[in-house]
Amino acid sequence: MKKITLSIFALFLILMVQASSVTVNITAVNTASTVIPASGDVTLIDKLTVTGTLDARDMVYIRGLAALTELNLTGVTFIEWNGTGGTQGNGTISTLYAANQFPNSGMYGHKKLKKVIFPTTITSFGSYAFGNCTSIESTVIPASVTDLGTGLFSGCTGLKTVELQTIVPPAAGWDVFGNDNAPTKSNATLIVPVGSIQNYTSWQFTSSTIVEKTTTPVSIGGAIFTSDFNSSNPWTEMSAQSSVAGIQANASWTTVGTIDVAFD
């Protein structure tokens, strides 16, 4: 009887520490600190999807979610806030946080965040928005963004890829992609729209490796993958019908990278 009791107790503990994925809709600014806890144990939230309206005060709370690895802000609109209690410094500094801007130091220093998805309403980033987020690996900057600010990914040593969706490069200050000592190249590869690589000529961009995003069609089931999939022109995504059971590699291929496959 004792052995069975201990086994059940151990299983209970394992279930209790499982991470959680949470979706919340925030209808009024400065309420994240009450809306998000209502969804459950915030210490277990590792994937958070937010819709609605946020300002810099809400981002203070979200930044404090220590277990967070993925942040989806697709359905968010950032509202202007002018005052204290925001993400700048320790919150005691009165600061103007512009509308449709990801706030200054919004996620600064978060050590577990790996992925963030931005809303298409965002137009700019405040200074050091993701500074020292050492686990962040990749992100997509929407075409709506016209200003990357300063120090956007400063100190993000794990950053691998940043996709920029605008043909005309956004304005960019110092140390945007973690390249403090320009023109020393940063670790990140920048993926830009087809036909736009010649536009990305300033050192803020050329201090990183730049490649164009291919739009070559992919067929699965017959001839698969054309010869333009290579390290200098990598695919970053593809899709396949749900009837496809698997993808088999040809032994003669050379591995040059990985892609995500979305099944319809």
Side-chain angles (χ1 to χ4, degrees):
M1 178 63 71
K2 181 181 292 185
K3 183 176 180 181
I4 294 175
T5 302
L6 289 175
S7 297
I8 294 174
F9 181 68
L11 177 60
F12 177 74
L13 286 178
I14 292 172
L15 293 175
M16 284 293 289
V17 299
Q18 285 182 340
S20 63
S21 178
V22 170
T23 299
V24 296
N25 181 42
I26 299 177
T27 58
V29 296
N30 198 27
T31 60
S33 59
T34 56
V35 175
I36 296 175
S39 65
D41 187 349
V42 297
T43 65
L44 301 180
I45 298 176
D46 71 330
K47 297 179 182 179
L48 177 64
T49 298
V50 183
T51 59
T53 54
L54 299 177
D55 70 14
R57 296 168 295 177
D58 296 298
M59 288 307 303
V60 171
Y61 184 81
I62 293 173
R63 185 176 63 188
L65 299 174
L68 197 63
T69 61
E70 294 187 16
L71 178 59
N72 186 338
L73 301 173
T74 303
V76 162
T77 298
F78 283 102
I79 305 300
E80 178 183 309
W81 169 246
N82 189 3
T84 59
T87 51
Q88 183 71 31
N90 58 6
T92 62
I93 303 173
S94 183
T95 304
L96 173 61
Y97 302 90
N100 298 320
Q101 180 186 75
F102 193 92
N104 303 351
S105 304
M107 291 299 291
Y108 186 91
H110 198 290
K111 298 305 182 185
K112 289 192 175 181
L113 186 67
K114 293 183 178 181
K115 181 180 180 181
V116 60
I117 303 175
F118 299 109
T120 55
T121 56
I122 195 171
T123 58
S124 62
F125 291 89
S127 299
Y128 297 93
F130 292 90
N132 288 334
C133 290
T134 52
S135 294
I136 196 165
E137 298 176 346
S138 63
T139 193
V140 177
I141 306 297
S144 56
V145 173
T146 58
D147 191 346
L148 297 174
T150 298
L152 178 56
F153 295 109
S154 174
C156 296
T157 53
L159 189 63
K160 297 177 182 177
T161 60
V162 177
E163 181 181 338
L164 296 145
Q165 294 188 327
T166 175
I167 293 176
V168 178
W174 188 265
D175 198 18
V176 176
F177 304 109
N179 43 340
D180 284 289
N181 300 310
T184 303
K185 287 188 179 296
S186 73
N187 293 327
T189 294
L190 308 184
I191 303 171
V192 300
V194 173
S196 69
I197 196 168
Q198 68 274 13
N199 298 333
Y200 287 80
T201 57
S202 66
W203 69 260
Q204 291 94 330
F205 301 106
T206 57
S207 292
S208 302
T209 300
I210 307 178
V211 298
E212 291 187 349
K213 182 178 180 178
T214 180
T215 56
T216 305
V218 178
S219 174
I220 296 178
I224 179 170
F225 298 159
T226 56
S227 60
D228 69 348
F229 179 62
N230 55 65
S231 57
S232 63
N233 192 25
W235 288 338
T236 57
E237 60 185 1
M238 61 179 286
S239 62
Q241 294 180 349
S242 57
S243 59
V244 175
I247 300 174
Q248 182 176 359
N250 185 302
S252 65
W253 290 354
T254 300
T255 300
V256 296
T258 59
I259 57 174
D260 295 327
V261 181
F263 288 88
D264 298 333

